[in-house]
Amino acid sequence: MSDQLLKFMLGDGHVRGALVRLESTWAALQQRRSYPAAITPLVGQMAAASTLLAGSLKFDGSLILQIHGDGPLQLAVAECQPDFGVRATAKIAGDGTAQVPAHADLAALVNAHGKGRCAITLDPRNPDAGHQPYQGIVALNDAHGQALPTLSAVLEQYLAQSEQIESMLLLASDARSVGGLLLQRMPGVLAGRDSPEEDFSRARHLASTLTDAELLGLAPEEVLRRLFWEEDVRIFAPHTPRFHCTCSRERVAGMLRMLGREEVDSILREQGEVDVRCEFCGQGYAFDAVDAAQVFLLPIVQPPVSPGSH
Ligand SMILES: [Zn+2]
């Protein structure tokens, strides 16, 4: 079965939702990087969650989901592009040296001191078209200061606080697949027989009967049949998420320009070349002295912009 993101609506449209199941995307992510046992499921769930969130927003750009941790996991990132190309990675604290207990839960991994944060960034594909980057940040604690136990709980709180959308999110992962279900109460009151509250709480109740094994093992349409067979379900054309890393030699060159000539020259003197490895896909990009000189020449050799050309 191919990877799939399936959006749907229930009843009078008070409840919308999406299901995602990733297999080949998940295999590709695990092939490129390996993580300690406690971190692997989180990376998979981040990838599934970023796909669900990207699918739920009307936004032309990439969605970047980040968890900044204060425990052994320093950072976990998943990015979903408008065409549902997905990449994800995680960074262990202490430059990869921190010990990660095998059965650490989310709080132990990223919120050991209550200072962990979750950020969602919307990065417009075409910033000139008037779209601005947007970032929302939430803590990993609930309203009473208690550490939230799961990524689902963190993102439900994010959606409630940042988007004012009551949501239910289920995420599951094993070695073979990751799966997710997002249910959202549509804002505003639409005309209809039932109240939106009733529709949402019934949908939530039905969804709560879904097991991890079903979320991981059934195709999205089968999950919908299993949960909502008595409901009026409308499904939209499915999307196909896939692993895709947006790294490129040009982007690395841009990063070196930001780093500055002096810093790059000092690395060249010490190591003979600048070797940059993509943290998402493991692709290496090497720049020797000649390449580096070109990187810093580039802005000068570009033709000057003639007046009135834009
Ligand atoms: Zn890459």
Side-chain angles (χ1 to χ4, degrees):
M1 190 194 77
S2 72
D3 293 6
Q4 200 179 71
L5 172 73
L6 187 65
K7 298 202 271 180
F8 59 90
M9 245 178 197
L10 296 180
D12 291 336
H14 298 319
V15 181
R16 70 178 176 192
L19 272 154
V20 68
R21 187 159 173 245
L22 305 177
E23 271 185 14
S24 51
T25 307
W26 184 216
L29 282 166
Q30 291 183 93
Q31 259 164 27
R32 281 164 176 83
R33 293 282 311 268
S34 67
Y35 304 99
I39 289 175
T40 307
L42 178 65
V43 173
Q45 291 181 23
M46 297 265 300
S50 71
T51 313
L52 286 172
L53 293 170
S56 79
L57 295 168
K58 293 221 181 324
F59 174 79
D60 187 26
S62 52
L63 181 140
I64 303 149
L65 168 62
Q66 288 170 299
I67 299 228
H68 298 270
D70 66 354
L73 182 57
Q74 189 181 332
L75 180 70
V77 188
E79 283 184 26
C80 186
Q81 302 299 321
D83 63 353
F84 299 101
V86 182
R87 63 179 190 167
T89 189
K91 192 174 178 188
I92 314 269
D95 271 334
T97 62
Q99 287 297 313
V100 182
H103 301 289
D105 62 6
L106 185 76
L109 283 176
V110 293
N111 201 23
H113 307 285
K115 303 223 182 312
R117 293 283 180 275
C118 171
I120 294 180
T121 308
L122 301 177
D123 193 8
R125 176 152 54 176
N126 182 6
D128 299 331
H131 300 288
Q132 297 297 316
Y134 163 84
Q135 189 177 57
I137 299 177
V138 287
L140 305 181
N141 303 317
D142 66 15
H144 309 289
Q146 293 296 311
L148 291 164
T150 59
L151 178 63
S152 314
V154 168
L155 294 173
E156 283 175 3
Q157 176 163 292
Y158 176 91
L159 291 166
Q161 285 181 5
S162 270
E163 316 279 330
Q164 269 92 49
I165 299 178
E166 192 180 350
S167 308
M168 177 190 196
L169 179 61
L170 300 176
L171 293 167
S173 57
D174 64 13
R176 209 171 130 251
S177 61
V178 292
L181 166 64
L182 177 66
L183 277 184
Q184 300 197 293
R185 201 184 117 182
M186 291 296 280
V189 179
L190 306 173
R193 290 168 284 116
D194 304 318
S195 72
E197 288 82 4
E198 262 175 47
D199 283 1
F200 186 70
S201 68
R202 191 172 64 250
R204 179 194 276 273
H205 174 72
L206 292 170
S208 69
T209 65
L210 187 69
T211 64
D212 282 2
E214 288 171 321
L215 191 52
L216 293 169
L218 297 178
E221 276 200 58
E222 291 173 315
V223 173
L224 286 181
R225 269 199 297 278
R226 146 82 178 79
L227 292 179
F228 305 120
W229 62 278
E230 279 189 309
E231 307 289 309
D232 175 17
V233 184
R234 274 171 289 164
I235 59 172
F236 299 93
H239 298 282
T240 307
R242 70 202 155 82
F243 173 80
H244 175 65
C245 192
T246 49
C247 71
S248 67
R249 198 170 170 83
E250 290 68 39
R251 284 186 176 219
V252 174
M255 210 182 76
L256 296 183
R257 259 178 239 123
M258 302 261 288
L259 204 60
R261 176 112 216 198
E262 216 168 292
E263 181 70 27
V264 169
D265 280 347
S266 124
I267 299 170
L268 283 172
R269 273 195 304 278
E270 275 172 33
Q271 297 171 13
E273 63 175 22
V274 182
D275 200 358
V276 178
R277 196 155 290 276
C278 175
E279 295 199 340
F280 287 91
C281 70
Q283 174 72 48
Y285 296 94
F287 290 77
D288 63 15
V290 176
D291 299 329
Q294 274 179 347
V295 164
F296 288 99
L297 270 175
L298 213 57
I300 301 163
V301 297
Q302 275 174 345
V305 176
S306 59
S309 71
H310 69 139

